[in-house]
Short mmCIF file of all heavy atoms in Angstrom, two decimals:
data_model
loop_
_atom_site.label_atom_id
_atom_site.label_comp_id
_atom_site.label_asym_id
_atom_site.label_seq_id
_atom_site.Cartn_x
_atom_site.Cartn_y
_atom_site.Cartn_z
N LYS A 15 14.23 -23.73 -32.05
CA LYS A 15 13.94 -24.38 -30.78
C LYS A 15 12.78 -23.66 -30.11
O LYS A 15 12.53 -22.48 -30.38
CB LYS A 15 15.15 -24.36 -29.86
CG LYS A 15 16.29 -25.20 -30.38
CD LYS A 15 17.44 -25.21 -29.41
CE LYS A 15 18.58 -26.07 -29.97
NZ LYS A 15 19.72 -26.11 -29.08
N TYR A 16 12.09 -24.38 -29.22
CA TYR A 16 11.00 -23.75 -28.49
C TYR A 16 10.96 -24.30 -27.06
O TYR A 16 11.53 -25.33 -26.75
CB TYR A 16 9.66 -23.96 -29.19
CG TYR A 16 9.10 -25.36 -29.08
CD1 TYR A 16 8.19 -25.70 -28.09
CD2 TYR A 16 9.49 -26.35 -29.98
CE1 TYR A 16 7.69 -26.98 -27.99
CE2 TYR A 16 9.00 -27.63 -29.89
CZ TYR A 16 8.09 -27.94 -28.89
OH TYR A 16 7.60 -29.21 -28.79
N PHE A 17 10.27 -23.56 -26.21
CA PHE A 17 10.03 -23.95 -24.83
C PHE A 17 8.54 -23.83 -24.59
O PHE A 17 7.92 -22.86 -25.02
CB PHE A 17 10.81 -23.01 -23.89
CG PHE A 17 10.53 -23.25 -22.44
CD1 PHE A 17 11.05 -24.36 -21.78
CD2 PHE A 17 9.75 -22.36 -21.72
CE1 PHE A 17 10.80 -24.57 -20.44
CE2 PHE A 17 9.48 -22.57 -20.38
CZ PHE A 17 10.01 -23.68 -19.74
N GLN A 18 7.97 -24.82 -23.93
CA GLN A 18 6.52 -24.83 -23.69
C GLN A 18 6.25 -24.82 -22.20
O GLN A 18 6.90 -25.55 -21.44
CB GLN A 18 5.91 -26.08 -24.32
CG GLN A 18 4.44 -26.23 -24.04
CD GLN A 18 3.88 -27.53 -24.61
OE1 GLN A 18 4.38 -28.05 -25.60
NE2 GLN A 18 2.84 -28.05 -24.00
N THR A 19 5.29 -24.01 -21.77
CA THR A 19 4.85 -24.03 -20.37
C THR A 19 3.35 -24.29 -20.34
O THR A 19 2.63 -23.92 -21.26
CB THR A 19 5.13 -22.70 -19.64
OG1 THR A 19 4.38 -21.66 -20.26
CG2 THR A 19 6.60 -22.36 -19.65
N ASN A 20 2.93 -24.95 -19.29
CA ASN A 20 1.51 -25.22 -19.08
C ASN A 20 1.14 -24.75 -17.67
O ASN A 20 0.89 -25.56 -16.79
CB ASN A 20 1.21 -26.72 -19.23
CG ASN A 20 1.48 -27.20 -20.62
OD1 ASN A 20 2.63 -27.43 -21.00
ND2 ASN A 20 0.45 -27.34 -21.41
N ILE A 21 1.13 -23.46 -17.48
CA ILE A 21 0.85 -22.91 -16.17
C ILE A 21 -0.54 -22.30 -16.18
O ILE A 21 -0.84 -21.41 -16.97
CB ILE A 21 1.88 -21.83 -15.79
CG1 ILE A 21 3.29 -22.43 -15.80
CG2 ILE A 21 1.56 -21.24 -14.42
CD1 ILE A 21 4.39 -21.42 -15.59
N LYS A 22 -1.39 -22.80 -15.29
CA LYS A 22 -2.75 -22.27 -15.18
C LYS A 22 -2.73 -21.03 -14.28
O LYS A 22 -1.95 -20.97 -13.33
CB LYS A 22 -3.68 -23.33 -14.59
CG LYS A 22 -3.83 -24.54 -15.47
CD LYS A 22 -4.71 -25.58 -14.83
CE LYS A 22 -4.80 -26.79 -15.75
NZ LYS A 22 -5.49 -27.90 -15.13
N PRO A 23 -3.57 -20.04 -14.58
CA PRO A 23 -3.59 -18.82 -13.77
C PRO A 23 -3.77 -19.09 -12.28
O PRO A 23 -3.12 -18.45 -11.45
CB PRO A 23 -4.78 -18.04 -14.33
CG PRO A 23 -4.90 -18.51 -15.74
CD PRO A 23 -4.49 -19.96 -15.70
N GLU A 24 -4.61 -20.04 -11.90
CA GLU A 24 -4.82 -20.33 -10.49
C GLU A 24 -3.57 -20.92 -9.83
O GLU A 24 -3.32 -20.71 -8.64
CB GLU A 24 -6.05 -21.23 -10.26
CG GLU A 24 -6.03 -22.54 -11.00
CD GLU A 24 -6.64 -22.50 -12.40
OE1 GLU A 24 -6.85 -21.40 -12.95
OE2 GLU A 24 -6.88 -23.58 -12.96
N GLU A 25 -2.74 -21.64 -10.61
CA GLU A 25 -1.48 -22.15 -10.08
C GLU A 25 -0.51 -21.01 -9.81
O GLU A 25 0.22 -21.02 -8.83
CB GLU A 25 -0.87 -23.17 -11.05
CG GLU A 25 -1.61 -24.48 -11.13
CD GLU A 25 -1.09 -25.40 -12.21
OE1 GLU A 25 -0.22 -24.99 -13.01
OE2 GLU A 25 -1.54 -26.55 -12.25
N LEU A 26 -0.49 -20.02 -10.71
CA LEU A 26 0.37 -18.87 -10.50
C LEU A 26 0.03 -18.16 -9.20
O LEU A 26 0.92 -17.76 -8.45
CB LEU A 26 0.22 -17.87 -11.66
CG LEU A 26 0.97 -18.18 -12.93
CD1 LEU A 26 0.66 -17.15 -13.99
CD2 LEU A 26 2.45 -18.24 -12.69
N GLU A 27 -1.25 -18.00 -8.95
CA GLU A 27 -1.68 -17.32 -7.72
C GLU A 27 -1.20 -18.09 -6.49
O GLU A 27 -0.76 -17.49 -5.53
CB GLU A 27 -3.19 -17.16 -7.71
CG GLU A 27 -3.68 -16.16 -8.74
CD GLU A 27 -5.21 -16.13 -8.86
OE1 GLU A 27 -5.90 -16.65 -7.95
OE2 GLU A 27 -5.69 -15.59 -9.86
N LYS A 28 -1.27 -19.43 -6.52
CA LYS A 28 -0.81 -20.24 -5.39
C LYS A 28 0.71 -20.12 -5.21
O LYS A 28 1.21 -19.99 -4.11
CB LYS A 28 -1.17 -21.71 -5.59
CG LYS A 28 -2.60 -22.04 -5.26
CD LYS A 28 -2.82 -23.54 -5.14
CE LYS A 28 -2.69 -24.19 -6.50
NZ LYS A 28 -3.06 -25.59 -6.54
N TRP A 29 1.46 -20.16 -6.33
CA TRP A 29 2.91 -20.14 -6.26
C TRP A 29 3.46 -18.80 -5.81
O TRP A 29 4.39 -18.72 -5.05
CB TRP A 29 3.53 -20.48 -7.60
CG TRP A 29 3.31 -21.88 -8.07
CD1 TRP A 29 2.83 -22.94 -7.36
CD2 TRP A 29 3.54 -22.38 -9.38
NE1 TRP A 29 2.75 -24.05 -8.14
CE2 TRP A 29 3.19 -23.75 -9.40
CE3 TRP A 29 4.01 -21.81 -10.55
CZ2 TRP A 29 3.30 -24.53 -10.52
CZ3 TRP A 29 4.13 -22.59 -11.68
CH2 TRP A 29 3.77 -23.95 -11.66
N PHE A 30 2.90 -17.73 -6.38
CA PHE A 30 3.50 -16.42 -6.20
C PHE A 30 2.73 -15.48 -5.27
O PHE A 30 3.28 -14.50 -4.82
CB PHE A 30 3.75 -15.74 -7.55
CG PHE A 30 4.74 -16.51 -8.36
CD1 PHE A 30 4.31 -17.35 -9.37
CD2 PHE A 30 6.08 -16.43 -8.09
CE1 PHE A 30 5.22 -18.09 -10.10
CE2 PHE A 30 6.99 -17.17 -8.81
CZ PHE A 30 6.57 -18.00 -9.83
N GLY A 31 1.48 -15.78 -5.01
CA GLY A 31 0.69 -15.00 -4.06
C GLY A 31 0.92 -13.51 -4.18
O GLY A 31 0.56 -12.89 -5.15
N ASP A 32 1.55 -12.94 -3.15
CA ASP A 32 1.77 -11.49 -3.09
C ASP A 32 3.06 -11.06 -3.79
O ASP A 32 3.49 -9.91 -3.62
CB ASP A 32 1.81 -11.03 -1.63
CG ASP A 32 0.47 -11.25 -0.95
OD1 ASP A 32 -0.56 -11.22 -1.66
OD2 ASP A 32 0.45 -11.44 0.28
N ASP A 33 3.71 -11.94 -4.53
CA ASP A 33 4.97 -11.59 -5.18
C ASP A 33 4.79 -10.65 -6.36
O ASP A 33 5.75 -10.06 -6.85
CB ASP A 33 5.74 -12.84 -5.63
CG ASP A 33 6.28 -13.63 -4.44
OD1 ASP A 33 6.28 -13.07 -3.32
OD2 ASP A 33 6.68 -14.78 -4.63
N ILE A 34 3.56 -10.53 -6.87
CA ILE A 34 3.25 -9.56 -7.92
C ILE A 34 2.12 -8.70 -7.37
O ILE A 34 1.02 -9.19 -7.14
CB ILE A 34 2.81 -10.24 -9.22
CG1 ILE A 34 3.92 -11.15 -9.75
CG2 ILE A 34 2.45 -9.18 -10.27
CD1 ILE A 34 3.53 -11.98 -10.95
N THR A 35 2.42 -7.44 -7.13
CA THR A 35 1.38 -6.54 -6.62
C THR A 35 1.22 -5.36 -7.56
O THR A 35 2.19 -4.85 -8.11
CB THR A 35 1.73 -6.02 -5.21
OG1 THR A 35 3.01 -5.39 -5.24
CG2 THR A 35 1.74 -7.14 -4.19
N VAL A 36 -0.02 -4.96 -7.75
CA VAL A 36 -0.32 -3.81 -8.62
C VAL A 36 -1.17 -2.85 -7.82
O VAL A 36 -2.22 -3.21 -7.30
CB VAL A 36 -1.09 -4.26 -9.89
CG1 VAL A 36 -1.43 -3.05 -10.75
CG2 VAL A 36 -0.27 -5.26 -10.68
N ASP A 37 -0.68 -1.62 -7.71
CA ASP A 37 -1.42 -0.57 -7.05
C ASP A 37 -1.85 0.41 -8.14
O ASP A 37 -1.01 1.03 -8.78
CB ASP A 37 -0.54 0.14 -6.01
CG ASP A 37 -1.25 1.28 -5.32
OD1 ASP A 37 -2.50 1.24 -5.21
OD2 ASP A 37 -0.56 2.23 -4.87
N GLU A 38 -3.14 0.48 -8.36
CA GLU A 38 -3.66 1.29 -9.46
C GLU A 38 -4.50 2.43 -8.91
O GLU A 38 -5.40 2.23 -8.11
CB GLU A 38 -4.53 0.39 -10.35
CG GLU A 38 -4.99 1.04 -11.61
CD GLU A 38 -5.73 0.05 -12.48
OE1 GLU A 38 -5.11 -0.92 -12.96
OE2 GLU A 38 -6.93 0.25 -12.65
N LYS A 39 -4.16 3.63 -9.32
CA LYS A 39 -4.92 4.80 -8.91
C LYS A 39 -5.57 5.40 -10.16
O LYS A 39 -4.89 5.88 -11.05
CB LYS A 39 -4.01 5.82 -8.25
CG LYS A 39 -3.42 5.34 -6.93
CD LYS A 39 -2.48 6.36 -6.35
CE LYS A 39 -1.94 5.94 -5.01
NZ LYS A 39 -1.12 4.78 -5.01
N ASN A 40 -6.88 5.31 -10.23
CA ASN A 40 -7.59 5.86 -11.38
C ASN A 40 -7.64 7.38 -11.30
O ASN A 40 -7.75 7.95 -10.23
CB ASN A 40 -9.03 5.32 -11.44
CG ASN A 40 -9.06 3.86 -11.81
OD1 ASN A 40 -8.23 3.39 -12.56
ND2 ASN A 40 -10.01 3.14 -11.27
#
């Protein structure tokens, strides 16, 4: 069995906004 998604990166940004945050210190 398989599951298929068709989520565009720009849609993810609209849906989740600040729900994924990355703080990177070089």
Side-chain angles (χ1 to χ4, degrees):
K15 294 183 180 180
Y16 73 95
F17 174 75
Q18 176 183 332
T19 63
N20 296 79
I21 302 174
K22 296 178 182 172
E24 56 271 14
E25 289 173 353
L26 280 177
E27 291 172 16
K28 280 194 291 188
W29 293 347
F30 296 100
D32 296 332
D33 290 347
I34 300 173
T35 56
V36 178
D37 178 28
E38 188 175 294
K39 294 177 177 64
N40 290 327

